Amino acid sequence: MAQNNKLNKFIDFLTNNAVGVLTTITNEQLEINSIDEIPFDFEIIQKDVDIPLVFLSVNYSGDQNFQLQFALPRKMVAMLSDFMMLGDGSAEYDPSEHNDAIKEMFNQILGSLTAELSGEGINITGDVSNVESTDLEIQKEFLADNIMIPFTIKIIGQELKMYLVLDQVAIDSIESLFPTIESNASNEPSMDELLGQLGGNESKNQSVPQPSEQRPVNVSRADFSEFD
């Protein structure tokens, strides 16, 4: 579906910028991969992410206005925050310290993403509006009609999961951001069009009258053996 392709394009931008920023901040090699979107399912999140989890909200403004939510395991937040503060990644989750640290990291990711999208002619700015530790008991009722995209994060031999949650407004907004990129490719002439243009040029050249002695059948008559 075209909608999924455009959403995947946005996710690719987000993932690439997250890897670059987090690798720089933590000074650790990491890998982030996304999985296809699925309907919001609290039981899946509860199975993959220890409850309570860290719920991070992002507000986007500019060409489009929409909101994203991230469900993050506390272990991941503590590990990344500890690396950011020059630790070894083994710290226990402390909301008073680590929520601010993960907010700063995400704002740097969003800033990097904004710069890259701006180069593509897309002007949106994302900022973290809220970070909280929650069991999602209240939020899950409001998220029931949303979709979620699972991410796996591999770092220092461990694999953790987090979830991006989007509502239909966010999906439609993201979809509307990318026609500019796709239309650039559609404006390029296809191979058939190029061949047609070449054919048209050839026909124009062929329409010019040529003296009969210049016909191609007379060109290949040289007999090089006569030079002896």
Side-chain angles (χ1 to χ4, degrees), residues 174-192:
I174 291 169
E175 183 182 44
S176 69
L177 293 173
F178 288 96
T180 302
I181 296 176
E182 296 184 352
S183 65
N184 289 339
S186 64
N187 288 335
E188 296 177 0
S190 65
M191 183 61 69
D192 290 338

Side-chain angles (χ1 to χ4, degrees), residues 26-189:
T26 64
N27 199 31
E28 295 286 340
Q29 292 299 315
L30 54 86
E31 179 182 331
I32 301 178
N33 294 297
S34 64
I35 306 170
D36 289 341
E37 66 268 18
I38 56 177
F40 178 82
D41 190 329
F42 175 68
E43 291 184 0
I44 292 177
I45 294 179
Q46 193 174 28
K47 181 182 69 175
D48 291 336
V49 181
D50 290 337
I51 303 295
L53 51 76
V54 177
F55 201 62
L56 184 148
S57 299
V58 174
N59 287 335
Y60 264 103
S61 60
D63 289 347
Q64 294 292 329
N65 299 316
F66 57 96
Q67 189 175 66
L68 306 176
Q69 277 87 30
F70 292 86
L72 312 171
R74 290 172 297 162
K75 182 176 181 179
M76 187 189 80
V77 172
M79 181 187 299
L80 294 177
S81 300
D82 195 34
F83 280 133
M84 181 180 180
M85 295 181 281
L86 305 180
D88 61 3
S90 62
E92 293 294 325
Y93 173 69
D94 181 351
S96 63
E97 293 184 9
H98 297 155
N99 284 1
D100 286 340
I102 201 70
K103 179 179 180 178
E104 173 62 23
M105 278 185 273
F106 264 78
N107 276 331
Q108 290 194 38
I109 293 169
L110 297 172
S112 177
L113 176 60
T114 294
E116 185 172 5
L117 291 177
S118 178
E120 302 287 347
I122 298 173
N123 297 309
I124 57 171
T125 301
D127 294 294
V128 176
S129 60
N130 187 53
V131 181
E132 62 177 324
S133 179
T134 176
D135 58 11
L136 281 188
E137 284 298 327
I138 297 176
Q139 294 91 334
K140 69 181 182 181
E141 301 298 328
F142 299 98
L143 302 174
D145 296 328
N146 292 3
I147 69 163
M148 61 187 191
I149 300 176
F151 287 82
T152 59
I153 301 178
K154 297 179 181 178
I155 183 171
I156 59 170
Q158 300 186 51
E159 181 173 299
L160 303 169
K161 275 193 175 181
M162 73 174 191
Y163 287 86
L164 167 62
V165 183
L166 311 91
D167 61 15
Q168 193 59 48
V169 172
I171 295 170
D172 292 341
S173 297
I174 291 169
E175 183 182 44
S176 69
L177 293 173
F178 288 96
T180 302
I181 296 176
E182 296 184 352
S183 65
N184 289 339
S186 64
N187 288 335
E188 296 177 0

